[in-house]
Amino acid sequence: MSAKIIDGKAIAAAIRQEIREEVEHLKSRGICPGLVVILVGEDPASQVYVRNKAKACEELGYRSEVVRLAADTTQQKLLELIEQYNRDPAFHGILVQLPLPKHIEEKAVIDAISVEKDVDGFHPVSVGNLMIGDDALLPCTPSGVIELLKRTGNPPAGKHAVVIGRSNIVGKPVSMLLLRENATVTICHSRTPNLPEITKQADILVVAVGKANLVKRDWVKPGAVVIDVGVNRLDSGKLAGDVDFDDVVGTAGWITPVPGGVGPMTITMLMANTLKSCKRANGLP
């Protein structure tokens, strides 16, 4: 029996429609969510991401601004620009596209963004609020994973969730979100011995390590929900996830494809965070 495919594009489209309706209601009251994206340098992948974010803003009716800075822009100039947008009430979200040029300290930039406008969910205060269960703007990809689970009728409560990967961007925050959703969570990584034995216990398996086709069918419990966050470019030019899709699809109960699974959710959750920040700034529930 083949797994049910989790269609991230369709779920993202449904969430965007909900956002669009809220934005139309806000605009009828003279309120418009605003997002600024700052890009330093000309990294080709970053250029694509920034274009996609600007396109999403346009489609949803947001105020959108993209600031492109030269690769030799000083850290001080970038920090001054961030502070300018921190003070600008027209913008409710500030996103500095990563990675940054080597002469700019990533942590200093993340710390400089106002917590209220931290739509990436990377600020230490945002991370702390996530950890203790307070209200926060959540990291986009991890919150997208939770939406995929809930909207396919796979709520994490009472399930054993295994996460492979411990990055600050996906592995750690998605583990905290699963815990907050009342799953029992095991975090695995490159130093975990007997990894397949642990992953085979998972009702929900989230894989975010950046290693193409790492997870095989004998790593997966029959009927498990498999969420593949990895995106890897093969020598052939094709994209592949961290899960060997063709091998696992006959064992899993649900599985995300790559592309078309988790990917479409990331920018959608960024849009949701910007809307939430806008509503907060205007004293709305």
Side-chain angles (χ1 to χ4, degrees), residues 88-196:
D88 190 338
F91 291 92
H92 308 97
I94 301 169
L95 187 148
V96 178
Q97 184 66 47
L98 303 177
L100 290 162
K102 289 180 181 176
H103 67 279
I104 297 177
E105 186 190 354
E106 188 176 294
K107 186 180 186 314
V109 171
I110 290 169
D111 290 357
I113 296 170
S114 162
V115 177
E116 290 75 23
K117 299 187 178 187
D118 172 36
V119 286
D120 251 341
F122 291 164
H123 192 284
V125 173
S126 302
V127 174
N129 285 335
L130 165 61
M131 184 74 184
I132 63 176
D134 275 4
D135 187 38
L137 295 172
L138 301 174
C140 301
T141 300
S143 58
V145 168
I146 300 300
E147 284 293 323
L148 289 177
L149 291 169
K150 289 180 173 180
R151 288 175 183 250
T152 52
N154 291 295
K159 307 283 177 56
H160 182 193
V162 174
V163 177
I164 311 179
R166 53 178 167 176
S167 73
N168 291 332
I169 294 174
V170 179
K172 289 177 186 174
V174 82
S175 300
M176 288 301 104
L177 285 175
L178 286 162
L179 194 60
R180 197 164 83 171
E181 294 291 332
N182 299 309
T184 298
V185 183
T186 301
I187 305 171
C188 300
H189 45 79
S190 59
R191 301 289 181 88
T192 302
N194 306 318
L195 186 55

Side-chain angles (χ1 to χ4, degrees), residues 206-223:
V206 181
V207 193
V209 291
K211 191 169 181 181
N213 299 321
L214 172 70
V215 173
K216 306 295 184 183
R217 86 180 137 199
D218 57 356
W219 293 39
V220 176
K221 177 181 178 179

Side-chain angles (χ1 to χ4, degrees), residues 32-87:
C32 181
L35 174 68
V36 59
V37 179
I38 302 170
L39 174 63
V40 185
E42 298 182 358
D43 178 74
S46 293
Q47 301 248 28
V48 173
Y49 295 144
V50 167
R51 275 200 304 273
N52 288 341
K53 287 163 186 170
K55 184 181 176 187
C57 284
E58 184 182 343
E59 289 173 354
L60 295 175
Y62 285 27
R63 178 182 292 107
S64 171
E65 200 162 294
V66 176
V67 181
R68 291 181 168 84
L69 302 175
D72 61 357
T73 298
T74 65
Q75 179 169 307
Q76 184 58 35
K77 182 174 179 183
L78 177 57
L79 295 178
E80 288 170 2
L81 181 64
I82 290 168
E83 183 52 34
Q84 175 189 319
Y85 282 104
N86 280 340
R87 295 193 304 266

Side-chain angles (χ1 to χ4, degrees), residues 1-8 11 147-155 159 202-207 215 220-228 243 245 248-257 261:
M1 188 173 138
S2 188
K4 294 178 182 175
I5 307 302
I6 298 175
D7 188 344
I11 293 170
E147 284 293 323
L148 289 177
L149 291 169
K150 289 180 173 180
R151 288 175 183 250
T152 52
N154 291 295
K159 307 283 177 56
D203 303 306
I204 298 169
L205 179 61
V206 181
V207 193
V215 173
V220 176
K221 177 181 178 179
V225 182
V226 179
I227 306 290
D228 188 352
V243 175
F245 183 91
V248 171
V249 71
T251 301
W254 295 78
I255 190 169
T256 57

